[in-house]
Amino acid sequence: MAITASQTNPPQSNLLPDGEPLPSSQLSKEDHLEILRQLYLARYFDVRLIKEKKRGRLRGTLYSSHNQEAVLVGSLFGLKGTDWISPIHRDMPAFFMKDLRAGWDNNDRIGLTIEQVCCQVWGKQDSPGRARDNWSHIGSKSKRIIHSTSMLAGTIPVAAGVVYADRLNGGDAVVLTYNGEGSTAQGIFHEAINFAAVHKLPVITIVENNHWAYGTPTNLEYSQEDFARRADGYGIPGLIADGQDVFDVYDKVMMAVNHARAGKGPSIIECKTYRAYGHGDHDDDRAANYRPEYDAKATYKDDIEHARRDPIDVCKKKLVSLGFITQADADRHVCEYKSADKTKDEDFPPEVVAYLKRGVEYAVKNPVPPAEEGGMWVFRE
Amino acid sequence: MAAIAEPTTGIKKNYLTAIQEALAEEMARNSDMICLGEDIGILGGAFGCTMGLQDQFGPQRVIDMPISEAAIVGSSVGMALNGKTVMAEMQFIDFISCGFDQIVNMMATYHYRTAGEVAINVTLRGPAGGYGGGALYHSQMNESWFCHSPGLKVVVPSTPYDAKGLLKACLRDPNPCLFYEIKQLYRDSKIAEVIPDEDYIVPLGSAAIRRPGTDLTFVTYGQNVYHCLQAADILAEKGYSAEVIDIRSLVPLDEQTILESIKKTNRVVVVNEAPKTCGYAGELVARINEFAFEHLDAPALRVTRLDTPVPWVQPLELFVLPSVEKIVETATRVLRF
Ligand SMILES: Cc1ncc(C[n+]2csc(CCOP(=O)(O)OP(=O)(O)O)c2C)c(N)n1
Ligand SMILES: [Mg+2]
């Protein structure tokens, strides 16, 4: 089933009380402009990392979030700072974009700084995990970001535990967990959501359905046409969001957040999108070979066509139609529909480039942790 | 103790090619063999070990599995229960923990609890090992979990010849086998070698002497074999002759080859890259004390990883893992005892 705006599935999952307006219709002009800026920032972060990696300045595998930025920005934008998130490998920008709405330079915001995230990417000592584990395997208790391992879907039960405890502590936090569609095949995905559903815990599972799990297409991972239908099996709402449309993601996530905060329990939001490159940068060339044949004959063909719309383009069109920006504004910095290697700094607003520059410069100068740290922190002494 | 002598002329093949060949040849000779794992078909495996297999043998015999190690292991057991020979790939051996129950409780015990009615011919293989910047979840050597689960055979090849011969031996063995591939060796051209064109196996439970010596025995496996060989070079400059034994197979273990060596050298150092506590190195030291009790002139010592995970950035990673220097230092202590 192809995506249409505001479509929900199964039918019980229209989470808007009768007559209530869409959450995105309540966003101000300033909010709209900020959302576009954040999309640019997520894209630029990815482009910059791809370039740094190509120049041999980074170690490890880079899992690009290109073309999936609307899922990150749209889901994070409406959260409170006190809410928790649990990002995975493809969600690197989420670490510094959490609570970014509270101000890019606001030291009190509850998210990691661009410097901290760059230190992690560069393997430096001011990474929140002191570069002990790689890439997305970071987090912060104080910033309310759950620290993932490599084991896919492994943080969902942890997320459930976190919000269970938060409730006992008198909090009203929700938790957003991010997962690829392939990761949903893990038993722990089911076990954790089942627990959360039984206790009506405020656990919102975002499924970033980019239609490929490494070299395996969606139809070999699960047999539902729309993954969101799986929610029905847990007796919780399942929503489908257009993963290219930041405002649709925002709407669906805010419906789920309001539902969860009201004590009505978890939900699953399937965001339909498409992976821009290979699984990781090591896989770009191979992906160009293995994907087209399967995509052409797949049942999800329409979804892929839909996901060819660049989320930045989709957002700009909305802002133009609302009269918040002019076409000339939209055309000032054009990074949409360009691959990383074809993208230049001028294709982004200068404040975005400057923000990242700050992070990169800090990270480059920051030292690697001393070797002895390898033997530390096995136990708390 | 290879079944066929290693030829010296021909094209050199790396460790990865040896594994690819073993799988393709066994699939061709055994029509009851099935391969399953994540991304092994369309992609040909994360490291390419199953490259071309699905084209050759079809998607029914080369299955791209949903990302569930538990389902991969458990369904392999079922296929084996119903007469198939199964190769199941773990994309990284670190993820094997997600299939743990199916391995240690379902698969390992099957023969025992059915009083021998059922033999489970499953080989679980996957890339393992540190020294590559893979960090906590792409660097593990967790072989001792499975050595500690009776009913599983555990193998760790360090050369292309052994990789091919041991993998074939596992696939022909009626018991469940865990096959640890050292991913740092996959494309290491320094260890590429000419391997026979004709069919051969390396029997499980046979160690290899990688370097003969008279003063001290290194007992090791995996990539630490190469560290021990380097340590032996350094010791040679100091006038000590060290023998290097690559056990290759942990369960079953070739105690005889180790014993014969110790009878000659009377001193032994065990080296592996797993954490120290309850690791296989500790098992080796204990066994050596039992079977070579009267031949030891010095206590057997071990060099292992610290009792830590494997951290990411290089200085930290090298700090916790065995190094040539640490091996030489420990060997010197044993030699001077
Ligand atoms: C338990 C476990 N098994 C296997 C892997 C290896 N692995 C890492 S990412 C990945 C594919 C994930 O696909 P998906 O969940 O769709 O996320 P995407 O990469 O498409 O964003 C695999 C198989 C892993 N990290 N953890
Ligand atoms: Mg995916």
Side-chain angles (χ1 to χ4, degrees):
Chain A
M1 187 183 295
I3 314 154
T4 56
S6 308
Q7 181 185 334
T8 60
N9 186 22
Q12 111 239 14
S13 62
N14 187 344
L15 298 175
L16 272 188
D18 273 348
E20 196 156 301
L22 278 176
S24 62
S25 68
Q26 310 300 299
L27 292 169
S28 67
K29 174 181 174 184
E30 206 23 70
D31 289 335
H32 282 79
L33 298 177
E34 171 65 9
I35 283 173
L36 176 59
R37 257 200 311 271
Q38 291 196 11
L39 287 173
Y40 270 124
L41 179 60
R43 175 71 52 86
Y44 185 65
F45 178 77
D46 195 72
V47 164
R48 181 76 194 256
L49 260 46
I50 290 173
K51 290 184 176 176
E52 296 282 340
K53 183 78 200 289
K54 287 235 162 77
R55 287 185 202 126
R57 294 186 190 149
L58 302 175
R59 298 177 79 202
T61 305
L62 201 160
Y63 303 98
S64 169
S65 50
H66 193 117
N67 201 43
Q68 300 185 204
E69 298 91 345
V71 178
L72 297 176
V73 175
S75 59
L76 291 168
F77 197 73
L79 292 189
K80 294 187 192 178
T82 47
D83 288 330
W84 288 76
I85 63 168
S86 171
I88 49 142
H89 56 283
R90 208 168 293 290
D91 309 321
M92 209 62 201
F95 292 99
F96 61 84
M97 292 181 55
K98 180 174 185 280
D99 204 27
L100 197 59
R101 193 182 183 180
W104 291 26
D105 297 313
N106 176 353
N107 290 333
D108 295 328
R109 76 182 175 86
I110 308 180
L112 294 174
T113 65
I114 190 74
E115 287 86 354
Q116 283 176 303
V117 175
C118 287
C119 282
Q120 168 63 7
V121 172
W122 264 258
K124 299 300 184 71
Q125 117 180 339
D126 287 352
S127 135
R130 297 189 73 80
R132 303 164 81 72
D133 201 359
N134 55 6
W135 289 82
S136 61
H137 303 161
I138 48 168
S140 166
K141 184 176 165 180
S142 62
K143 305 297 183 185
R144 305 204 163 198
I145 302 173
I146 297 173
H147 323 64
S148 70
T149 65
S150 281
M151 282 59 180
L152 296 169
T155 53
I156 313 179
V158 178
V162 162
V163 288
Y164 190 100
D166 185 72
R167 253 201 204 169
L168 292 186
N169 294 342
D172 73 343
V174 304
V175 60
L176 288 193
T177 76
Y178 294 83
N179 309 269
E181 82 294 341
S183 313
T184 65
Q186 281 288 325
I188 197 72
F189 180 89
H190 157 74
E191 295 168 37
I193 293 176
N194 185 53
F195 163 64
V198 166
H199 289 272
K200 295 208 180 312
L201 299 177
V203 176
I204 295 150
T205 303
I206 309 264
V207 175
E208 301 168 86
N209 188 350
N210 61 12
H211 290 93
W212 281 87
Y214 206 156
T216 303
T218 314
N219 63 306
L220 291 172
E221 296 289 352
Y222 56 83
S223 65
Q224 283 281 22
E225 198 172 317
D226 292 314
F227 181 84
R229 295 186 77 95
R230 194 184 292 181
D232 214 17
Y234 303 107
I236 64 172
L239 300 147
I240 295 177
D242 174 353
Q244 308 309 106
D245 179 352
V246 67
F247 298 105
D248 194 46
V249 174
Y250 176 82
D251 280 332
K252 302 297 161 55
V253 171
M254 289 316 291
M255 288 179 201
V257 165
N258 295 337
H259 183 83
R261 251 199 257 286
K264 295 182 189 160
S267 38
I268 292 175
I269 302 171
E270 177 190 3
C271 300
K272 302 221 188 219
T273 182
Y274 190 69
R275 197 179 77 199
Y277 306 108
H279 173 56
D281 57 309
H282 63 292
D283 186 48
D284 289 346
D285 297 341
R286 287 190 301 179
N289 283 323
Y290 66 68
R291 286 204 298 186
E293 183 192 336
Y294 286 85
D295 287 346
K297 62 184 185 203
T299 50
Y300 49 80
K301 251 196 333 257
D302 293 349
D303 290 347
I304 295 179
E305 277 314 309
H306 223 65
R308 292 196 201 286
R309 295 167 306 140
D310 190 307
I312 296 179
D313 181 38
V314 174
C315 177
K316 280 182 179 174
K317 288 203 166 100
K318 176 86 183 277
L319 268 55
V320 171
S321 76
L322 291 170
F324 292 154
I325 58 172
T326 63
Q327 192 57 47
D329 294 332
D331 295 340
R332 196 157 298 127
H333 303 288
V334 179
C335 62
E336 48 272 33
Y337 302 109
K338 292 181 186 168
S339 61
D341 55 330
K342 300 253 157 40
T343 312
K344 300 190 185 66
D345 280 1
E346 304 83 80
D347 300 336
F348 296 89
E351 69 268 29
V352 165
V353 176
Y355 198 64
L356 199 64
K357 186 161 181 253
R358 211 174 83 187
V360 174
E361 280 177 359
Y362 185 92
V364 168
K365 285 196 213 111
N366 197 240
V368 172
E372 305 74 57
E373 285 195 7
M376 291 168 62
W377 296 304
V378 175
F379 294 105
R380 175 160 291 183
E381 299 302 338
Chain B
M1 290 217 312
I4 289 184
E6 300 181 30
T8 48
T9 58
I11 305 165
K12 286 189 173 181
K13 290 176 179 162
N14 65 21
Y15 190 98
L16 181 64
T17 307
I19 287 161
Q20 289 168 333
E21 287 188 358
L23 292 173
E25 290 173 22
E26 290 303 293
M27 284 290 278
R29 78 179 265 288
N30 178 359
S31 60
D32 271 330
M33 181 171 155
I34 296 174
C35 295
L36 63 170
E38 293 154 14
D39 311 300
I40 67 163
I42 297 169
L43 180 70
F47 288 90
C49 293
T50 54
M51 196 66 84
L53 274 195
Q54 195 176 60
D55 286 342
Q56 201 180 340
F57 299 102
Q60 287 196 318
R61 287 182 64 202
V62 181
I63 312 170
D64 273 319
M65 290 291 284
I67 307 173
S68 167
E69 288 71 18
I72 291 170
V73 177
S75 54
S76 298
V77 172
M79 292 173 193
L81 177 59
N82 217 352
K84 301 297 177 189
T85 294
V86 186
M87 184 291 283
E89 177 173 296
M90 298 285 109
Q91 195 159 88
F92 281 83
I93 210 70
D94 312 57
F95 308 146
I96 202 167
S97 52
C98 296
F100 198 71
D101 172 64
Q102 289 289 323
I103 299 171
V104 302
N105 290 319
M106 183 60 73
M107 184 164 78
T109 60
Y110 227 119
H111 193 66
Y112 186 82
R113 66 195 151 91
T114 59
E117 185 206 359
V118 173
I120 298 294
N121 185 355
V122 172
T123 299
L124 277 187
R125 39 163 292 282
Y131 300 97
L136 276 78
Y137 307 109
H138 291 77
S139 305
Q140 294 177 13
M141 282 300 285
N142 46 30
E143 68 280 11
S144 73
W145 296 347
F146 304 108
C147 295
H148 200 62
S149 296
L152 302 172
K153 296 190 174 181
V154 181
V155 172
V156 188
S158 72
T159 68
Y161 179 89
D162 284 1
K164 185 168 181 183
L166 284 168
L167 184 49
K168 287 187 165 213
C170 288
L171 289 165
R172 295 178 197 181
D173 192 289
N175 296 290
C177 299
L178 279 100
F179 189 86
Y180 281 73
E181 293 166 11
I182 305 301
K183 60 182 172 297
Q184 288 293 104
L185 300 181
Y186 275 146
R187 296 173 196 280
D188 184 344
S189 58
K190 293 191 297 300
I191 67 155
E193 61 183 336
V194 180
I195 54 181
D197 285 330
E198 61 270 41
D199 187 46
Y200 72 95
I201 63 156
V202 174
L204 305 182
S206 73
I209 297 169
R210 298 294 176 206
R211 172 185 175 123
T214 51
D215 300 331
L216 173 113
T217 304
F218 285 120
V219 180
T220 185
Y221 55 94
Q223 55 195 325
N224 298 127
V225 168
Y226 300 99
H227 301 134
C228 288
L229 287 170
Q230 287 175 47
D233 282 341
I234 294 171
L235 291 168
E237 286 164 21
K238 299 181 180 175
Y240 297 114
S241 158
E243 179 146 308
V244 178
I245 296 182
D246 176 359
I247 59 171
R248 309 192 281 201
S249 158
L250 283 60
V251 180
L253 176 67
D254 176 2
E255 296 187 350
Q256 199 56 38
T257 299
I258 302 172
L259 175 64
E260 292 307 322
S261 175
I262 294 173
K263 279 186 186 167
K264 193 169 56 171
T265 63
N266 311 111
R267 291 167 202 272
V268 62
V269 170
V270 172
V271 183
N272 81 350
E273 58 168 296
K276 183 170 187 170
T277 302
C278 290
Y280 197 74
E283 175 64 23
L284 283 167
V285 169
R287 284 196 190 215
I288 287 165
N289 273 316
E290 288 164 6
F291 67 68
F293 184 73
E294 61 270 33
H295 301 290
L296 289 170
D297 286 349
L301 292 187
R302 62 189 150 160
V303 181
T304 67
R305 192 205 304 167
L306 303 184
D307 274 329
T308 67
V310 180
W312 176 34
V313 291
Q314 204 177 33
L316 278 68
E317 182 183 27
L318 296 181
F319 182 80
V320 307
L321 286 168
S323 62
V324 175
E325 296 72 48
K326 289 180 210 169
I327 296 168
V328 169
E329 199 182 294
T330 304
T332 307
R333 215 177 132 207
V334 170
L335 283 160
R336 292 194 181 143
F337 180 78

